Amino acid sequence: MLRLKEIGRSKRFKARLAVERSILDIVNSSDLSQAVPLAGLTIAAIGDWRFRAGRNLPDRLVSDIEALLISISRESGLLADNSRAVFDPENEAAAAAIGALKAKLALALS
């Protein structure tokens, strides 16, 4: 039987995965990024995407998208160093911030 702490951790993990998948879908389905797919929302994956995208896209656009990706990653806890300091899917302010950043990202990629 799972303890309550493990259930909470599992719920947060699934929420982070859902955020990551939705962002990957936005980025990787855009015309601008189809040739340069984003692999994840870790700092390494975002940096790799930035390096590869910088070869084909204007630097300003790549920088703006990179900043949005890092912000989303921070808000969702995907860059968290402490596994307990992670995204709480029931935190309405964090969810709203991620939603606003996703909208900006979709606009930047359109």
Side-chain angles (χ1 to χ4, degrees), residues 46-63:
I46 294 169
D48 178 62
W49 178 87
R50 190 210 188 325
F51 175 76
R52 291 179 295 113
R55 296 178 183 166
N56 303 317
L57 300 172
D59 191 56
R60 175 65 185 212
L61 177 61
V62 173
S63 293

Side-chain angles (χ1 to χ4, degrees), residues 12 16 74 76-88:
R12 289 190 307 266
R16 287 193 315 269
R74 279 197 182 111
S76 62
L78 290 161
L79 290 182
D81 293 330
N82 178 347
S83 63
R84 292 187 181 137
V86 295
F87 176 60
D88 177 359

Side-chain angles (χ1 to χ4, degrees), residues 16-83:
R16 287 193 315 269
L17 282 180
V19 169
E20 184 171 36
R21 286 181 183 142
S22 70
I23 298 305
L24 292 176
D25 185 50
I26 291 169
V27 174
N28 294 339
S29 66
S30 75
D31 290 339
L32 291 177
S33 192
Q34 282 186 342
V36 187
L38 177 64
L41 288 179
T42 64
I43 198 69
I46 294 169
D48 178 62
W49 178 87
R50 190 210 188 325
F51 175 76
R52 291 179 295 113
R55 296 178 183 166
N56 303 317
L57 300 172
D59 191 56
R60 175 65 185 212
L61 177 61
V62 173
S63 293
D64 290 348
I65 293 169
E66 177 189 35
L68 287 168
L69 292 171
I70 290 170
S71 293
I72 291 167
S73 190
R74 279 197 182 111
E75 283 291 332
S76 62
L78 290 161
L79 290 182
D81 293 330
N82 178 347
S83 63

